[in-house]
Amino acid sequence: MRAAIAAAELGDDVFGDDPSVNRLQQRAAERFGFEAALLFPSGTQSNLAALMSHCQRGEEVIVGQEAHTYRYEAGGGAVLGSIQPQPLANRPDGSLDLAEVDAAIKPDDPHFARTRLLALENTIGGRVLGRVYLQAALELAARRGLATHLDGARVFNAAMKLGMDVKDLCRGFDSVSVCLPKGLGAPAGTVLVGGGEFIARARRARKILGGAMRQAGVIAAAGLYAIENHVERLPEDHANAERLAKGLAALGLEVEPPQTNMVYVKIPKDACPPLAEHLKINGVLALLGTRTRLCTHLDVDAAGIDRALGAFAAFLSQRPRAAA
Ligand SMILES: *Cc1c(COP(=O)(O)O)cnc(C)c1O
């Protein structure tokens, strides 16, 4: 990837003439089966530009309480797009109850914001939404006149887990946002795919948001390398997550069975600060909390998983009741 970055042919993407960016965008559009694609510096900006391209001021997006674009993006849609979120509870499997979505769509009445968009996320917290569910959600949206956006930051994990082509998994959405770092290992960059007119609007939104970059080919070359070389290996991350989950369970910890590359393990509140310290000293980075999240990725192999398990085991042996 470093070599691909060094060798990248560059231009000025603000003028649309960076060949590496154009190659990545063309490749992403093809791979996802959409007309066009656009490179963004981050997934947050890509999601926000998508919201702003689907919704006018005063319009509304139906979105999960746990969705990244509602919960973890600083309310950007409201702050910068004047778009009202209508959050709904995610079910334990990460999906939204479609009867609740249907009921949340507001009638066309001047009292109400106009419900314009349904935004889903796949994977969501490492959980996979299958095609049957997505199809039902897309049919509801079509019947009720809503546009659809998929936050597919980690959609390649979902596709590999389901053994599906991303094109088939994402078919029917009006837009999909796909992150190139995370599991794919690029240093930065997210591609938004959609129809030609939609992407033209997103390009304007990206400019408003300050996301049009000049010699962005250095980022695009890494992204292209990631898409070409780091997708087929994602099942290794899923297998390592399984290995980690089984090992933690064997230590007596309460672990949620992983679907992709995220392992959630219950840690008593008082054990979190000393465990965080202990793991860090032992080279293991985790999002510590009562529901601690551990992610596997291309820089962690099975031996690394075993080292992490060793660090947990050492901690628990000093503190036997941490597992209680
Ligand atoms: C990482 C991520 C994003 C975007 O995050 P950035 O850090 O802004 O690139 C969006 N949605 C999901 C589900 C993510 O995991």
Side-chain angles (χ1 to χ4, degrees):
M1 185 180 283
R2 294 280 183 123
I5 292 169
E9 206 187 332
L10 304 178
D12 184 339
D13 186 47
V14 171
F15 294 103
D17 69 6
D18 184 299
S20 301
V21 172
N22 291 339
R23 208 171 297 132
L24 169 66
Q25 290 175 166
Q26 191 185 343
R27 187 74 191 94
E30 277 165 19
R31 182 111 185 212
F32 280 84
F34 283 79
E35 260 172 33
L38 192 64
L39 175 66
F40 287 81
S42 72
T44 297
Q45 195 181 73
S46 170
N47 276 332
L48 176 52
L51 294 187
M52 290 171 72
S53 303
H54 284 300
C55 301
Q56 300 290 319
R57 296 177 65 215
E59 292 186 332
E60 180 178 79
V61 53
I62 295 179
V63 64
Q65 284 279 3
E66 294 173 31
H68 199 280
T69 196
Y70 172 63
R71 196 172 186 136
Y72 299 106
E73 295 177 7
V79 176
L80 297 172
S82 298
I83 297 157
Q84 165 167 286
Q86 167 61 74
L88 298 178
N90 291 92
R91 295 189 292 195
D93 69 357
S95 67
L96 300 179
D97 182 328
L98 296 181
E100 283 181 25
V101 171
D102 198 31
I105 298 169
K106 295 176 175 56
D108 185 1
D109 174 313
H111 287 88
F112 302 125
R114 200 200 314 250
T115 310
R116 184 77 204 100
L117 178 67
L118 173 62
L120 297 176
E121 183 175 317
N122 202 14
T123 64
I124 173 157
R127 292 158 300 186
V128 177
L129 301 181
R131 184 61 205 178
V132 171
Y133 171 77
L134 295 177
Q135 189 68 39
L138 290 167
E139 280 167 16
L140 167 63
R143 193 165 68 245
R144 301 296 310 270
L146 303 186
T148 51
H149 173 66
L150 183 70
D151 179 353
R154 301 176 186 269
V155 74
F156 279 116
N157 291 88
M160 292 309 287
K161 178 68 182 191
L162 292 166
M164 280 181 86
D165 193 321
V166 280
K167 196 183 282 191
D168 298 323
L169 186 56
C170 297
R171 180 167 288 129
F173 278 92
D174 293 308
S175 56
V176 183
S177 174
V178 186
C179 287
L180 302 167
K182 308 281 177 75
L184 297 189
T190 288
V191 281
L192 179 66
V193 298
E197 271 180 47
F198 170 83
I199 291 297
R201 289 200 299 280
R203 186 182 293 279
R204 180 175 289 272
R206 187 184 69 173
K207 189 67 190 172
I208 290 170
L209 298 171
M213 298 178 283
R214 298 284 173 185
Q215 286 77 20
V218 287
I219 292 171
L224 195 56
Y225 184 92
I227 287 183
E228 303 293 5
N229 297 284
H230 291 168
V231 171
E232 314 302 325
R233 60 153 304 285
L234 287 172
E236 290 173 36
D237 295 344
H238 302 170
N240 283 330
E242 280 285 341
R243 184 184 187 92
L244 180 60
K246 285 208 178 98
L248 292 172
L251 293 173
L253 293 167
E254 200 178 311
V255 187
E256 297 170 31
Q259 293 184 18
T260 54
N261 69 326
M262 290 183 202
V263 176
Y264 290 91
V265 54
K266 215 171 179 177
I267 303 293
K269 201 168 178 187
D270 68 315
C272 288
L275 178 59
E277 182 67 18
H278 174 84
L279 290 179
K280 204 169 172 192
I281 290 168
N282 287 281
V284 181
L285 300 178
L287 285 178
L288 256 292
T290 51
R291 191 167 172 259
T292 284
R293 187 181 87 172
L294 297 141
C295 270
T296 58
H297 53 82
L298 78 175
D299 296 321
V300 178
D301 58 11
I305 296 296
D306 294 344
R307 279 211 307 284
L309 286 169
F312 271 92
F315 180 80
L316 292 173
S317 68
Q318 293 159 13
R319 227 191 114 90
R321 263 174 301 165

